[in-house]
Amino acid sequence: MSYLLNPQVIIDQIINGLTIGGIYALIALGYTLVYGILFMINFAHGEIFMFGSFGGFAALTYFVNSGFSDTHPGLSIVAAFLAAMVVSAILGALLERIAYRPLRNAPRLAPLISAIGASIFLQNVMMLIIKARMQVYPDIIQEEFLEFGWFSISYFQLFIISGSVLLMVGLYLFIQKTKTGKAMRAVAEDRDAASLMGIDVNRIILITFVIGSALAAAAGVMVGIYYTQIDHMMGFIPGIKAFTAAVLGGIGNVPGAMLGGYFLGLAEAFGVLFMPAEYKDVIAFGLLVLVLIFRPSGILGEVVSERA
Amino acid sequence: MMNTKKIYLPIVVLFLLLLPPMVGNYWTQVLGNIGIYVMLGIGLNVVVGFAGLLDLGYVAFYAIGAYGYALLASPHFGIHIPFWVMLPGCVALAAGGGALLGIPVLRMRGDYLAIVTLGFGEIIRILLNNLDPLTNGPRGLLRIDAPAMGNFVVNSPFRWYYLIFAGIIFSAFVADRLNNSRIGRAWIAMREDQDAAAVMGINILKYKLLAFTIGASFAGIGGAIFAARQGSIFPENFSLMVSINVLCLIIIGGMGSIPGVILGAVILIGLPEILRGVHQYRMLAFGGLLVAMMIFRPTGFIPSARRKMELRE
Amino acid sequence: MTILLQTKGLSKRFGGLTALNNIDLALESCVILGLIGPNGAGKTTLFNCLTGVYPIDGGDIIFGNRSIRGLKSHVTTSLGIARTFQNIRLFGNMTALENILVGQHCRMKAGVWGAIAMNRSTLKEEKKAFGKADELLNFVGLNDQGDTLAKNLPYGDQRRLEIARALAVKPRLLLLDEPTAGMNPRETAELTGFIEQIRTELELSILLIEHDMRVVMGISDRVTVLDYGVKIAEGSPEEVRKNPKVIEAYLGRLGTMMGKRAVTA
């Protein structure tokens, strides 16, 4: 265990943790935003993330084949992100409209089961599209490392860490400053009252799904760039983990989801120092169970209390 | 209601008993597969349909039953405890697992419960995959003993069919009796309005735990039968899809009703056999069907008729 | 007369809000105590504290001769406290009869084995429970509605079924939360008579939250008034009616200006 005292190992794990934590946080925001308003778990959120990843994949592949990425690598990546976010945003809106809205006043199990159905459906759509074969993200930029004395950080990691922070800051400003953001908060606080105040609740819910989906898509492209291999089942585990992150931070609580994401990322990064890598997933689930038992409202607390 | 049931039940049972010779080996095998899912469905129905607890990790208890039997009735450790002895053992193991998970998590509200149980199911699968010395990891457990009574070994699809059939009758009987009792009423009340049920004197935690452990023990039986029938089991047999399949078959069939569970299992497990050609679209259709079902027919094809007891005549 | 229920300095807070502050209450056997107060005075909160729905933050609750502070709902119920809800909370998808059977839950014993085996004692118990349920249906005048799903009953019948369900608990203390809410004058008069009948025939104590002053003043032996979580008055209906604090609480300054006529009107 002497390597635990090695600062290089510690810093490496912090960087790894922040990278993956940022990704978890971006996905977790989608869960939290939707939960904050509808009190439902969007079980298909992992699939939206997966579709985003494939959206980015399709765009990047196109740019590579057309030679555009050779001349404009930076622009290609930005465009891929945008493409991914558009794909997921549309999908998220469709999902809300078709699978969830008709069930808004149904018993609580109904939307959850509908979500499971949508999740299976989307997985299989993608499986048919890619013929169940794993796809490899094209590398547009070479993975290089920035050396800082006794530690180093890869471009990808730097890019993911800063990109996720940027998106989260953007989201935070959007929710706090814009009119739509304020309407979102109002709907989360009290849907009926917001409606009486003239807020178009259906529109706000749709926007919430769109925003959450776009953030998940960004995370999907990041995962594609970072891990290079993607397939139709890739949404499941990150989806569950991001949900864990949302619960860790206090579901419905936006800063909580961000904090929860980083917390989980770091916990996993340091967890692998103590146990075999195969058990990495057990850490997340174990944490989830522990948090729900001992602090069911999460680290920062839920924004919305339980309905009677 | 009760009277029509009295007339039809023996006819249906008789028909099912005579079915295997009519359809031959292959379809008897398929019916066996369906039968195991019917048992799982009846068990999960107690948890989801009766008590209203969404358990997405039901496969964990199925796995506990299967590995419990396989470890103690195979060359892996060289232990060969007879099937009939292990059957109650597997029930106890699975029920114990249910209690162990249930005690901490049943305080949670519904959707948290769903996610935690789902996580638990995955943890069990990961453990089966990685606890090599105990479970032999992904290589699985092989040459598991078949049930035997003296020289009579349950080793053909026909014999298995009847064994599973007996298992289903037993499970259905137990579930039906529970449903029509003080306990069943407490479950329904709890599902309808938990706070009001508590104020009417129902110990919520106790009845949730009861539903959870009883459901788990049915899965334990199913698991032991599965292991003995397959002869070899692997961690991949116990993926999340099993939980989802079982959940979906009770929803499609009609939550809370046992005929519904049977119909659901036939549709879900049997239909793909019939439609082998379009196999690849099966799950796609299935996902879409679930959504459509929730929107257009949330009670399933055969919703449970809330029937009165014979006592009242 | 023996005291059945007593609260001593009972307090309940929600975050910074004190919903109940130092409430002292005593209720004798076979007495109807009216509990009145403006909206948000803490009446239903008091019910929730008495039935273990909310844990209390201070003071004590004595029922019979023991403290029931901190006991869960199902325990307080089995000790003999039953209640109805302000917004009817029947088990909608169960029949009227089944609702009453659920009410008898804590008076029955059958466990898992009994249910599966349906042995003689379980059968006997079930038979008895069904008989008792029919009896209660008759008592509340729902004789032929036993097989109707609770959610399909007319509003007034639902209110009465809820009372029948509470009576199935065999309570010593019955808490009724606005039993006549939403009823027309005829139904209200009927129900008022019925509450009287329950008290005399079943010999139990009733704690009654009610907004209809005619009902409260008509059947209560005593009346307690809450306002902002504090007990501001107590006494016979006549005394309470004349209490200036009560008038003020109900009508604000306007009430005091207009004099006592406002409440009696």
Side-chain angles (χ1 to χ4, degrees):
Chain A
M1 288 271 162
S2 62
Y3 58 81
L4 280 180
L5 299 172
N6 184 344
Q8 191 178 338
V9 172
I10 307 257
I11 292 183
D12 278 351
Q13 291 312 318
I14 290 178
I15 292 173
N16 287 339
L18 291 178
T19 309
I20 188 72
I23 291 171
Y24 288 155
L26 285 179
I27 310 172
L29 283 167
Y31 283 111
T32 258
L33 288 172
V34 168
Y35 195 93
I37 287 187
L38 289 178
F39 304 98
M40 70 162 278
I41 298 172
N42 178 6
F43 209 87
H45 194 56
E47 275 55 54
I48 291 185
F49 154 85
M50 179 266 286
F51 264 77
S53 190
F54 277 95
F57 168 77
L60 277 182
T61 311
Y62 174 78
F63 294 141
V64 167
N65 291 342
S66 65
F68 181 73
S69 62
D70 298 336
T71 48
H72 303 88
L75 197 59
S76 301
I77 289 184
V78 172
F81 267 95
L82 288 178
M85 289 163 98
V86 168
V87 167
S88 291
I90 293 173
L91 194 64
L94 285 175
L95 193 66
E96 194 277 325
R97 197 68 193 74
I98 296 170
Y100 301 153
R101 192 180 294 182
L103 296 172
R104 212 173 276 162
N105 297 314
R108 297 193 80 162
L109 273 186
L112 197 60
I113 288 163
S114 176
I116 292 173
S119 162
I120 295 171
F121 181 82
L122 292 174
Q123 274 171 14
N124 283 275
V125 167
M126 188 50 77
M127 188 185 84
L128 291 173
I129 295 175
I130 63 171
K131 304 198 170 55
R133 274 196 294 269
M134 189 168 271
Q135 307 290 312
V136 179
Y137 248 66
D139 22 275
I140 292 184
I141 28 175
Q142 289 303 309
E143 175 151 35
E144 282 178 47
F145 288 85
L146 288 172
E147 301 285 340
F148 292 96
W150 30 262
F151 78 96
S152 63
I153 179 171
S154 83
Y155 280 145
F156 289 171
Q157 290 177 321
L158 194 63
F159 173 69
I160 291 173
I161 292 173
S162 50
S164 51
V165 169
L166 213 65
L167 283 168
M168 282 186 253
V169 170
L171 174 76
Y172 194 75
L173 292 177
F174 178 81
I175 292 180
Q176 295 299 327
K177 303 287 181 205
T178 66
K179 203 175 160 205
T180 312
K182 283 176 187 158
M184 279 170 70
R185 281 186 290 148
V187 174
E189 195 73 37
D190 187 330
R191 204 195 303 169
D192 297 332
S195 164
L196 290 173
M197 293 296 114
I199 294 172
D200 182 348
V201 172
N202 279 337
R203 189 177 139 260
I204 295 298
I205 291 174
L206 204 63
I207 290 175
T208 307
F209 269 86
V210 164
I211 292 174
S213 304
L215 292 174
V221 181
M222 289 174 181
V223 165
I225 292 175
Y226 193 51
Y227 293 103
T228 67
Q229 290 179 330
I230 59 172
D231 65 23
H232 60 283
M233 291 303 293
M234 69 182 283
F236 176 61
I237 295 280
I240 297 289
K241 288 187 181 168
F243 175 79
T244 304
V247 173
L248 282 174
I251 195 152
N253 181 328
V254 171
M258 303 177 188
L259 186 76
Y262 286 116
F263 183 81
L264 186 60
L266 289 169
E268 278 190 11
F270 282 95
V272 292
L273 297 179
F274 298 96
M275 56 176 90
E278 296 85 52
Y279 293 109
K280 205 177 74 184
D281 296 341
V282 178
I283 297 176
F285 296 132
L287 261 179
L288 176 67
V289 174
L290 289 180
V291 167
L292 286 178
I293 295 168
F294 293 109
R295 196 168 160 73
S297 56
I299 302 169
L300 293 189
E302 292 177 33
V303 166
V304 276
S305 57
E306 188 176 356
R307 288 185 298 180
Chain B
M1 197 61 211
M2 215 58 214
N3 286 330
T4 50
K5 194 176 159 190
K6 265 182 188 155
I7 297 164
Y8 285 118
L9 200 63
I11 297 176
V12 171
V13 168
L14 195 68
F15 171 74
L16 289 173
L17 282 175
L18 295 175
L19 201 54
M22 295 192 282
V23 297
N25 250 334
Y26 174 74
W27 285 104
T28 304
Q29 180 91 23
V30 172
L31 288 173
N33 296 342
I34 295 174
I36 289 182
Y37 270 90
V38 170
M39 285 184 62
L40 293 178
I42 290 173
L44 186 61
N45 196 25
V46 171
V47 186
V48 183
F50 296 171
L53 303 167
L54 188 54
D55 178 358
L56 293 182
Y58 194 59
V59 67
F61 309 119
Y62 183 50
I64 290 174
Y67 269 83
Y69 177 67
L71 286 172
L72 298 177
S74 74
H76 184 59
F77 289 134
I79 304 172
H80 296 277
I81 302 178
F83 181 80
W84 307 107
V85 178
M86 273 312 290
L87 206 53
C90 290
V91 168
L93 264 178
L100 213 61
L101 175 66
I103 290 168
V105 306
L106 285 173
R107 285 169 214 276
M108 296 170 193
R109 68 182 105 129
D111 30 18
Y112 279 9
L113 182 72
I115 297 289
V116 173
T117 49
L118 187 150
F120 181 71
E122 280 296 293
I123 289 180
I124 292 282
R125 195 180 57 83
I126 294 168
L127 290 179
L128 293 178
N129 243 324
N130 294 298
L131 289 177
D132 262 31
L134 181 66
T135 65
N136 208 23
R139 290 178 303 283
L141 297 173
L142 313 174
R143 288 187 289 138
I144 302 163
D145 303 343
M149 280 168 287
N151 288 330
F152 183 84
V153 181
V154 183
N155 54 7
S156 71
F158 281 78
R159 291 174 183 181
W160 270 113
Y161 177 88
Y162 291 108
L163 180 67
I164 294 170
F165 192 78
I168 293 174
I169 296 285
F170 172 75
S171 313
F173 173 77
V174 170
D176 192 57
R177 277 284 171 90
L178 284 172
N179 191 26
N180 289 311
S181 72
R182 169 175 177 263
I183 292 171
R185 290 191 298 264
W187 280 334
I188 300 165
M190 182 171 89
R191 190 184 69 200
E192 289 278 308
D193 185 336
Q194 185 171 314
D195 301 331
V199 169
M200 294 327 293
I202 292 163
N203 183 344
I204 297 296
L205 217 55
K206 176 182 158 186
Y207 278 87
K208 282 187 175 177
L209 197 61
L210 202 60
F212 216 64
T213 44
I214 289 173
S217 40
F218 283 49
I221 303 178
I225 290 182
F226 176 78
R229 181 166 175 258
Q230 297 298 110
S232 49
I233 54 171
F234 308 90
E236 290 319 306
N237 296 140
F238 306 97
S239 72
L240 174 71
M241 272 327 288
V242 177
S243 299
I244 302 278
N245 267 328
V246 179
L247 179 68
C248 292
L249 72 86
I250 50 183
I251 289 160
I252 290 174
M255 223 185 303
S257 99
I258 289 164
V261 168
I262 295 171
L263 180 74
V266 170
I267 293 176
L268 221 68
I269 313 299
L271 216 54
E273 286 292 337
I274 298 165
L275 306 171
R276 285 226 145 203
V278 291
H279 184 75
Q280 50 178 337
Y281 296 106
R282 173 187 143 209
M283 291 308 290
L284 184 81
F286 174 44
L289 188 66
L290 271 187
V291 177
M293 199 86 193
M294 280 303 107
I295 294 172
F296 299 111
R297 202 175 160 82
T299 48
F301 287 120
I302 310 180
S304 75
R306 309 274 350 280
R307 51 190 179 274
K308 286 151 287 318
M309 298 194 61
E310 288 167 290
L311 284 163
R312 206 161 162 255
E313 289 162 359
Chain C
M1 256 194 276
T2 53
I3 290 185
L4 181 65
L5 174 82
Q6 197 177 9
T7 68
K8 296 176 179 165
L10 189 154
S11 296
K12 173 71 195 168
R13 282 180 292 276
F14 295 107
L17 175 86
T18 303
L20 290 174
N21 193 3
N22 231 351
I23 303 285
D24 289 317
L25 210 68
L27 178 58
E28 299 83 6
S29 308
C30 253
V31 160
I32 297 181
L33 176 63
L35 191 59
I36 63 171
N39 284 326
K43 303 177 301 277
T44 299
T45 304
L46 179 64
F47 272 22
N48 284 334
C49 290
L50 294 177
T51 51
V53 176
Y54 295 152
I56 63 175
D57 297 314
D60 204 353
I61 307 169
I62 314 285
F63 182 68
N65 44 21
R66 58 171 293 186
S67 165
I68 58 164
R69 177 179 178 165
L71 295 182
K72 294 222 171 119
S73 298
H74 64 91
V75 185
T76 59
T77 305
S78 61
L79 288 175
I81 304 179
R83 72 174 283 188
T84 65
F85 295 87
Q86 192 176 340
N87 43 346
I88 307 173
R89 288 175 80 168
L90 288 165
F91 306 114
N93 288 310
M94 300 179 92
T95 64
L97 185 101
E98 284 171 326
N99 268 278
I100 299 180
L101 288 174
V102 172
Q104 295 183 59
H105 180 89
C106 60
R107 304 288 171 238
M108 297 169 72
K109 290 195 193 68
V112 175
W113 301 122
I116 295 171
M118 273 293 162
N119 49 13
R120 195 174 301 167
S121 66
T122 311
L123 274 170
K124 208 171 121 193
E125 184 183 75
E126 286 282 313
K127 211 163 220 162
K128 209 176 120 198
F130 274 86
K132 169 97 182 160
D134 279 333
E135 218 173 273
L136 278 167
L137 279 173
N138 280 332
F139 187 63
V140 298
L142 293 173
N143 326 22
D144 44 0
Q145 300 287 355
D147 294 341
T148 313
L149 288 186
K151 64 178 179 190
N152 295 337
L153 287 171
Y155 183 84
D157 287 355
Q158 290 195 8
R159 283 253 174 239
R160 278 188 298 191
L161 177 58
E162 215 192 8
I163 295 177
R165 185 180 67 173
L167 291 176
V169 170
K170 276 198 201 156
R172 285 189 287 160
L173 171 63
L174 180 62
L175 312 182
L176 299 175
D177 199 342
E178 295 193 29
T180 69
M183 287 187 169
N184 64 33
R186 197 178 54 82
E187 287 174 321
T188 302
E190 265 176 34
L191 193 73
T192 312
F194 179 56
I195 294 171
E196 285 264 24
Q197 189 193 347
I198 292 173
R199 183 253 303 260
T200 41
E201 279 186 26
L202 303 177
E203 294 180 355
L204 41 78
S205 305
I206 296 175
L207 192 52
L208 172 75
I209 296 180
E210 187 51 71
H211 273 305
D212 188 326
M213 284 305 143
R214 233 165 316 171
V215 177
V216 186
M217 297 302 174
I219 60 172
S220 302
D221 299 304
R222 281 187 304 114
V223 176
T224 294
V225 190
L226 294 185
D227 190 27
Y228 293 112
V230 181
K231 185 171 89 176
I232 57 167
E234 190 176 35
S236 70
E238 206 46 44
E239 286 161 13
V240 166
R241 203 197 304 260
K242 289 180 186 148
N243 189 320
K245 273 193 192 163
V246 178
I247 299 168
E248 167 135 2
Y250 263 88
L251 297 169
R253 224 175 295 152
L254 182 72
T256 340
M257 264 164 17
M258 285 171 57
K260 291 161 194 169
R261 275 189 13 237
V263 169
T264 33

